[in-house]
Every structure is written in C-alpha cells, then in structure tokens.
C-alpha cells in the first residue's frame, strides 16, 4: 500500500493555483468603461492625444496604447486604484460625468478583474467645444500625404 504524505488533495478545481492580472489589463478595462460614459469626449491630455494619433498612424506601432491613454492604475492582489485624465464635451455637467465615470469604472474593474476599486481619481484636462471639430477636420485635410 502506498501512502500519500505531504500531498493535499481536494478543494474546488477553480481554487487551485493563482491568477495574476497585469496592470495594463485593469488600465484597458478602466479606459473602456470611462469612454462608455456619455459626455466623455476622450481620455488623456490634448498633447497626449495628438502624439497618440501620430503614433497610431505609423506602421507597426502598438495598437493597444490608445486604450490606456489617460489611464494609470495601481493593482494589488485584492485592490486597485485608478487615475483618469478626461476631456468632456461642452455643455455636460462635469460633476455628473465624473460620478458616472467612477461608477462605470468601479463596476467594470470589480466585475471583470475581481479587484476592489479603492479610488478613481479624475482630472478633467479639457472641454471639447463644438467649433473645435471643424478646426480638427480642416487641419487633417491640410496634411501632406
């Protein structure tokens, strides 16, 4: 007869082992959740968005970077903290947008990553004015191809 000493068996198969979630995963979840809120025009500062747009047009450039632009996170084994930099549309109540962003980010990160979100800090770095769209379209049309 063979005796199994030192080997513990049992427990649910889903509890055997460890799951590690990378910071970039939580950052992408938070970024997508923030973008889903009505009134959020974009994430990141104006200069970060401009550099990101140029980077995305370059062949071979990383495609996932735009999902995390304007998002920074700290992720532990049980908790996460999120910092967001957003641009809001003109005319929307900024405090309402910030509240909805927080609720959406907390819900998404806790549901998808299983981490308690201890804080979501939001910096509103710009307001997108209605006439700025026309200026952006004109600038894009003037680019040399």
């Amino acid at each position: 007869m063979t005796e199994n000493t030192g080997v513990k068996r049992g427990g649910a198969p889903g509890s055997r082992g460890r799951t590690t979630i990378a910071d970039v995963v939580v950052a992408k979840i938070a970024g997508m959740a923030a973008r889903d809120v009505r009134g959020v025009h974009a994430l990141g500062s104006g200069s970060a968005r401009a550099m990101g747009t140029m980077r995305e047009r370059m062949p071979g450039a990383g495609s996932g970077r735009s999902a995390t632009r304007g998002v920074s996170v700290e992720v532990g084994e049980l908790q996460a903290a999120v910092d967001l930099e957003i641009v809001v549309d003109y005319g929307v109540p900024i405090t309402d947008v910030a509240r909805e962003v927080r609720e959406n980010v907390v819900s998404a990160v806790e549901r998808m990553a299983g981490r308690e979100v201890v804080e979501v800090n939001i910096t509103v770095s710009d307001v997108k004015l209605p006439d700025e769209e026309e200026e952006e379209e004109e600038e894009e049309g003037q680019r040399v191809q």
Side-chain angles (χ1 to χ4, degrees):
M1 240 164 107
T2 307
E3 193 174 25
N4 289 332
T5 59
V7 178
K8 292 185 179 181
R9 296 188 188 259
S15 65
R16 298 178 196 171
R18 180 177 166 186
T19 302
T20 303
I21 299 175
D23 290 7
V24 69
V25 173
V26 174
K28 285 182 179 183
I29 293 168
M32 293 304 293
R35 282 180 181 83
D36 284 345
V37 174
R38 196 181 125 278
V40 174
H41 178 76
L43 269 68
S45 66
S47 59
R49 289 193 325 272
M51 291 300 291
T53 301
M54 289 182 0
R55 192 180 313 116
E56 288 168 2
R57 292 181 184 191
M58 295 173 55
S63 60
R65 182 67 188 135
S66 64
T68 60
R69 187 180 311 127
V71 182
S72 63
V73 298
E74 291 181 37
V75 182
E77 289 189 31
L78 302 174
Q79 298 177 324
V82 180
D83 293 327
L84 299 168
E85 185 175 3
I86 67 173
V87 176
V88 297
D89 292 322
Y90 177 79
V92 300
I94 294 173
T95 55
D96 291 349
V97 171
R99 181 183 39 75
E100 290 180 41
V101 166
R102 276 190 189 90
E103 290 172 357
N104 220 28
V105 168
V106 167
S107 175
V109 171
E110 289 184 350
R111 181 176 48 84
M112 295 176 70
R115 300 298 185 268
E116 176 192 10
V117 178
V118 294
E119 64 182 9
V120 177
N121 299 311
I122 299 171
T123 300
V124 179
S125 62
D126 202 358
V127 173
K128 176 72 167 110
L129 301 174
D131 60 343
E132 287 178 335
E133 276 184 41
E134 295 168 10
E135 291 172 12
E136 285 178 7
E137 289 172 9
E138 288 173 12
E139 288 174 10
E140 286 181 17
Q142 295 174 356
R143 291 194 178 154
V144 178
Q145 295 185 6

